[in-house]
Amino acid sequence: MFNAKSHQLGNPVAGMKIGKMVLGALALLAVAGAAGWSSLDRETRGLIASLPTNRDVLFWSQPQRDAAFRALDRLPILAKARVVATGATPSPLPPGPPLALPVEVDAYMAGQRSAALLIVHDGKLRLERYGLDFAAQGRWTSFSVAKSMTSTLMGAAVRDGAIRSLDDKVSDYVQEMKGSAYDQVSIRQLLTMTSGVKWNEDYADPNSDVARFNNHKPEEGVDSLVSYLRKLPRAAPPGTRWNYSTGETNLVGVLLARATGKPLATYLSEKIWAPAGMEQDATWILSRTGQEISGCCIQAATRDFARFGQFVLDGARVNGRPVVADGWLAEATTRRADIGQPGRGYGYQWWTYDDGSFAARGIFGQGIFIDPKRKLVIASNANWAGGAQDRAASAAREAFYRAVQKAVDDEAGKSGG
């Protein structure tokens, strides 16, 4: 059973259950009944007038998302989660002087419907703001920001020798994939989402793979994800076409767990969360077959999302010792696949920019932006008013990243740095 430290969780939501978890990103939640509803605290009842039955999170109301995003791991019976344990001593986030930004932060956060916004520059916390009645003690779900953490765990597994080579075939580690379209797909192609296997991740399409997977009944004794993916047809030769697929990130997670012999939450704790000095335990939501949903759903404090960004910025090292394989970050955080957008690309589960910066992104406004040249990390959590892929909000966030970069450059210019 999932057990978390109540004093670390903040803004509790209880007494609801999720009927089904959509592949790697989104959940279907159902009302737990009169008894469950009566156990909800007064604050939550005010935030959630009612929960939809058998509806995707994309169809939740804005207040329902506001409440649920800070509490997915505490919706009893919803989906189980494993704790990602931290260590005894958090790494410091020393305050620095306020950064003089060329934008009005309150207005930006209002437009983003930000729950949290942190800027760390040169290891110092230059800005920390919260909204939506959220606070530093609370935890927010990552959505696909988890993909970049999964990628980093793959780098650790390569260093540990659990993964021999990224050019190994997926079916070398997940035997059930032999004879499928994934049989000749390499781990590298899985990481860059260039497998060539047909996959539709349109959440508005009831016939998409995401929707159909939700009703898939796996064969006896076969992981539900593996059971579904091994039946998909090929659309292009491996390595020739980029196609965004949370299903493939989840397959990376299955492969990692088998290669290391450990649950992903345990491996994340051992390799990063504890040694890198995260402040709070995190949690990782599990699929219905008990596997961490590696493309989604790590619940963590925003300060710890920022610490993860700083850990990567510092070369994924702890006390000078590398956690990932030599050269991993250089490969993982630079363009490995063309996504059809000028100046941008895709690495190993990281979104890349041709200026050398890169980002982890999750729907509804979750993100970690990292700029090595400027020693800059920006961590943000939100609940975009326009929904999962709010284009206006996304564009505003990109503009904010540029504005912060300019502020850092201007400051360096004034100081002669």
Side-chain angles (χ1 to χ4, degrees):
M1 284 294 293
F2 164 62
N3 184 24
K5 298 179 181 178
S6 61
H7 70 279
Q8 292 181 333
L9 296 178
N11 300 309
V13 177
M16 296 171 282
K17 78 176 183 183
I18 286 186
K20 302 172 183 176
M21 176 67 76
V22 171
L23 180 66
L26 306 172
L28 295 175
L29 285 100
V31 179
W37 179 255
S38 67
S39 71
L40 293 176
D41 59 82
R42 183 175 299 176
E43 176 191 3
T44 302
R45 291 190 203 183
L47 284 170
I48 305 178
S50 63
L51 279 175
T53 301
N54 294 326
R55 296 296 299 273
D56 194 287
V57 65
L58 292 171
F59 298 100
W60 289 354
S61 70
Q62 189 170 283
Q64 289 165 350
R65 298 197 306 264
D66 283 349
F69 288 179
R70 71 193 74 201
L72 282 184
D73 57 359
R74 286 170 293 137
L75 303 180
I77 319 172
L78 92 88
K80 294 180 181 178
R82 284 196 182 97
V83 172
V84 182
T86 190
T89 306
S91 64
L93 273 180
L99 186 63
L101 294 170
V103 296
E104 214 293 305
V105 175
D106 288 343
Y108 168 72
M109 291 185 67
Q112 292 282 295
R113 298 201 75 255
S114 291
L117 178 63
L118 276 69
I119 298 175
V120 180
H121 173 235
D122 200 15
K124 297 181 176 62
L125 191 58
R126 305 291 304 272
L127 181 142
E128 183 176 19
R129 301 271 189 93
Y130 295 93
L132 305 184
D133 295 321
F134 189 64
Q137 295 74 31
R139 301 188 300 185
W140 201 266
T141 193
S142 69
F143 290 107
S144 288
V145 167
K147 289 182 170 67
S148 303
M149 295 188 180
T150 296
S151 167
T152 309
L153 291 182
M154 178 63 78
V158 173
R159 183 170 194 86
D160 288 347
I163 301 293
R164 296 179 296 273
S165 168
L166 293 188
D167 295 318
D168 287 351
K169 302 306 180 187
V170 172
S171 55
D172 292 342
Y173 298 83
V174 185
Q175 299 294 318
E176 301 95 315
M177 285 303 184
K178 289 189 179 297
S180 76
Y182 283 99
D183 200 357
Q184 296 304 309
V185 173
S186 70
I187 297 174
R188 191 185 312 274
Q189 289 161 347
L190 205 61
L191 286 168
T192 56
M193 297 190 182
T194 58
S195 71
V197 177
K198 187 177 181 181
W199 175 269
N200 177 0
E201 189 145 342
D202 183 355
Y203 282 91
D205 181 0
N207 293 314
S208 68
D209 289 291
V210 171
R212 288 191 289 124
F213 170 82
N214 196 57
N215 295 315
H216 176 68
K217 295 182 179 179
E219 303 99 313
E220 185 70 27
V222 180
D223 178 88
S224 59
L225 173 75
V226 170
S227 173
Y228 186 84
L229 291 184
R230 71 182 185 178
K231 296 178 181 178
L232 295 178
R234 174 158 299 287
T240 63
R241 189 179 75 178
W242 180 79
N243 181 50
Y244 190 79
S245 170
T246 296
E248 295 195 346
T249 311
N250 289 351
L251 186 56
V252 170
V254 171
L255 189 155
L256 264 174
R258 294 192 183 184
T260 63
K262 298 178 180 180
L264 296 186
T266 301
Y267 200 51
L268 178 58
S269 172
E270 292 176 356
K271 291 297 172 182
I272 300 173
W273 220 253
M278 301 304 172
E279 185 174 323
Q280 296 189 33
D281 287 352
T283 59
W284 206 333
I285 287 181
L286 307 179
S287 71
R288 57 180 175 261
T289 50
Q291 166 74 40
E292 287 88 345
I293 301 173
S294 46
C296 178
C297 307
I298 293 173
Q299 285 64 231
T302 313
R303 285 181 177 178
D304 288 338
F305 285 130
R307 283 186 175 92
F308 175 77
Q310 188 67 41
F311 163 78
V312 172
L313 183 65
D314 291 340
R317 294 173 179 269
V318 175
N319 297 323
R321 295 190 299 271
V323 171
V324 299
D326 294 343
W328 177 267
L329 285 179
E331 288 190 22
T333 62
T334 53
R335 182 201 293 252
R336 300 290 142 193
D338 185 358
I339 64 173
Q341 298 181 28
R344 301 184 189 181
Y346 201 71
Y348 298 161
Q349 308 284 303
W350 289 93
W351 301 92
T352 68
Y353 301 81
D354 288 354
D355 69 355
S357 56
F358 51 96
R361 296 181 194 161
I363 58 172
F364 293 104
Q366 324 324 320
I368 304 173
F369 176 81
I370 302 171
D371 183 345
K373 183 170 69 175
R374 296 175 175 85
K375 300 179 181 179
L376 177 66
V377 174
I378 306 172
S380 55
N381 286 316
N383 177 15
W384 284 344
Q389 297 173 321
D390 186 327
R391 292 187 178 183
S394 179
R397 183 175 61 182
E398 294 296 322
F400 182 77
Y401 291 163
R402 304 284 88 80
V404 175
Q405 289 174 316
K406 182 179 185 302
V408 170
D409 290 345
D410 289 347
E411 186 177 79
K414 289 177 182 177
S415 65

